């Protein structure tokens, strides 16, 4: 079975450019999560969706970040304009639950390593 | 956001040794998870805990849900080189499904 798919795996861009990260969750999963991982701050939840609806975006750093989930099989995380401090590994994860179950195990994708020069 | 502190931050051990690490929080959690992250990959779930005091094993790994519900522990027995990686704890409160992740423990096993 295919796990969570993320693309691209690596992205190098210049400051000020727009960056779009893509995620395909595991088929049948109802929740999707975007995380950012850095050495300094560890793994941080940015936003999560349940049934394609954003539930909690309090972790989104600022207005430069936006996320969409137009359907159950696709989500994007966009940074516009990008800055060097956005350099990190961005993970997408999905879970089968509806949002309140204690057994909502999250399955992570391989991540996108973003470098903003 | 909620911060989970993991200890130690890093460990260097000889192959065959046992490993112990812990995760503490200022808040009560009703679910604790332990993940392992290999270099260049996403975290993979190792063990899930759902009750205070629960002790669960997965091969050479054993994890415990602390009785105060504010901490959890992971032990690895007879370490091998493939145990190398970063181990994360994650906690969930009783409402919603947001998990808060710990700061990670980096494990290096010396053959």
């Amino acid at each position: 079975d295919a796990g969570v798919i993320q693309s691209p795996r690596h992205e190098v861009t210049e400051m000020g450019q727009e960056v779009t990260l893509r995620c395909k969750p595991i088929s049948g999963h109802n929740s999707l999560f975007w995380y950012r991982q850095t050495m300094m701050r560890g793994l941080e939840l940015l936003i999560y969706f349940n049934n394609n609806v954003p539930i909690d975006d309090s972790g989104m750093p600022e207005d430069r970040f936006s996320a969409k989930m137009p359907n159950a099989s696709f989500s994007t995380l966009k940074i516009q304009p990008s800055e060097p401090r956005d350099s990190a590994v961005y993970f997408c994860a999905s879970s089968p639950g509806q949002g309140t179950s204690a057994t909502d195990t999250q399955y992570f994708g391989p991540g996108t390593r973003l470098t903003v020069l | 956001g909620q911060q989970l502190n993991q200890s130690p931050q890093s460990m260097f051990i000889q192959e065959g040794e046992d490993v112990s690490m812990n995760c503490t929080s200022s808040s009560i959690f009703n679910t604790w998870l332990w993940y392992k992250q290999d270099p260049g990959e996403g975290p993979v779930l190792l063990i899930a805990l759902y009750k205070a005091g629960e002790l669960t094993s997965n091969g050479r790994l054993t994890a415990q849900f602390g009785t105060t519900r504010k901490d959890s522990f992971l032990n690895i027995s007879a370490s091998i080189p493939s145990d190398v990686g970063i181990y994360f704890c994650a906690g969930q409160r009783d409402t919603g499904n947001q998990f808060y992740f710990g700061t990670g423990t980096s494990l290096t096993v010396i053959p």
Side-chain angles (χ1 to χ4, degrees):
Chain A
D1 290 341
V4 175
I5 299 172
Q6 291 187 247
S7 65
R9 291 294 308 272
H10 301 273
E11 175 84 21
V12 180
T13 190
E14 292 188 343
M15 182 174 65
Q17 295 297 307
E18 177 179 296
V19 174
T20 300
L21 311 181
R22 297 173 177 80
C23 175
K24 176 177 170 55
I26 293 173
S27 177
H29 280 194
N30 295 306
S31 297
L32 182 141
F33 307 80
W34 281 101
Y35 289 89
R36 177 173 66 178
Q37 186 178 42
T38 61
M39 289 293 293
M40 293 297 294
R41 300 175 67 88
L43 203 58
E44 302 173 279
L45 177 66
L46 300 177
I47 185 172
Y48 78 90
F49 296 83
N50 185 250
N51 291 325
N52 312 338
V53 176
I55 303 300
D56 184 353
D57 65 353
S58 59
M60 295 286 262
E62 48 199 272
D63 293 344
R64 297 184 298 107
F65 285 69
S66 63
K68 294 182 180 179
M69 191 165 186
N71 57 63
S73 59
F74 184 65
S75 178
T76 59
L77 178 67
K78 185 175 294 185
I79 308 173
Q80 166 63 20
S82 59
E83 297 182 3
R85 60 191 169 121
D86 301 331
S87 298
V89 180
Y90 290 81
F91 287 103
C92 175
S94 70
S95 74
Q98 290 292 339
T100 58
S101 170
T103 58
D104 286 345
T105 300
Q106 295 178 27
Y107 298 83
F108 283 77
T112 295
R113 181 173 293 278
L114 173 65
T115 302
V116 183
L117 303 174
Chain B
Q2 175 67 50
Q3 183 78 24
L4 299 183
N5 295 311
Q6 286 187 242
S7 177
Q9 187 174 12
S10 61
M11 303 179 73
F12 293 81
I13 62 169
Q14 291 284 344
E15 181 177 359
E17 290 184 359
D18 296 342
V19 175
S20 292
M21 60 187 77
N22 65 67
C23 181
T24 59
S25 166
S26 57
S27 301
I28 288 175
F29 289 111
N30 286 325
T31 300
W32 285 95
L33 305 178
W34 283 93
Y35 285 85
K36 182 193 177 196
Q37 184 176 18
D38 289 330
E41 300 294 332
V44 174
L45 183 67
L46 298 174
I47 293 178
L49 303 161
Y50 304 112
K51 294 181 182 179
E54 180 181 354
L55 193 69
T56 298
S57 293
N58 178 4
R60 294 178 294 105
L61 278 62
T62 301
Q64 184 166 20
F65 193 138
T67 54
T68 66
R69 296 162 66 192
K70 293 183 177 182
D71 53 12
S72 181
F73 310 90
L74 178 69
N75 295 309
I76 305 173
S77 62
S79 60
I80 58 178
S82 62
D83 291 334
V84 166
I86 302 176
Y87 292 80
F88 289 98
C89 64
Q92 182 196 44
R93 299 192 185 119
D94 57 351
T95 57
N97 67 345
Q98 180 178 353
F99 280 91
Y100 298 93
F101 281 78
T103 49
T105 293
S106 174
L107 176 64
T108 301
V109 179
I110 302 168

